[in-house]
Amino acid sequence: MMTYIMGDKSLPQMVFVHGYGGSGLLMYKIFRPLSEHFHTIFVDLIGMGSSSRPPFPAENGEQADTYMMNAMEQWRISMGNLTNFFLVGHSYGGYVTGSYASLYP
């Protein structure tokens, strides 16, 4: 998943997930203000924004959720096993982050 990172690494980390059909870049107006207080990581969900669009094998809502949660977890691991971060989502990103946090507290 495409990732945009800003801010001082010594600040608390914040992972921000956009809404449905969006991109982390749509939040460009908040990049600078947030990066003054957080090490911000804006992620494009798989299949959206500048992220890849692999085949989507889900046939129902439960499979779609599992697919998205697995993609988020693989992204977190690929980011160096990212831990101790604030997880923020806008609109559909809020649904994704809430579901993800309930599976991976």
Side-chain angles (χ1 to χ4, degrees):
M1 293 192 286
M2 180 61 83
T3 305
Y4 311 93
I5 301 173
M6 294 186 71
D8 186 338
K9 288 184 178 185
S10 69
L11 295 172
Q13 294 184 103
M14 176 190 290
V15 173
F16 194 98
V17 180
H18 61 79
Y20 185 78
S23 163
L25 287 176
L26 291 174
M27 306 300 167
Y28 73 94
K29 289 186 177 184
I30 63 172
F31 279 8
R32 186 177 309 268
L34 284 177
S35 69
E36 292 172 2
H37 305 281
F38 297 93
H39 179 237
T40 54
I41 304 169
F42 293 84
V43 60
D44 281 355
L45 291 171
I46 195 164
M48 298 180 208
S50 295
S51 288
S52 63
R53 289 162 175 75
F56 185 68
E59 295 182 10
N60 59 47
E62 186 176 331
Q63 290 176 355
D65 284 352
T66 299
Y67 180 82
M68 190 62 71
M69 298 313 107
N70 288 339
M72 283 290 298
E73 179 61 3
Q74 290 304 310
W75 170 84
R76 185 194 67 80
I77 292 167
S78 75
M79 293 295 293
N81 217 14
L82 188 64
T83 59
N84 298 323
F85 56 93
F86 293 98
L87 185 56
V88 179
H90 171 260
S91 190
Y92 175 68
Y95 174 77
V96 170
T97 57
S99 297
Y100 177 80
S102 68
L103 287 174
Y104 300 98

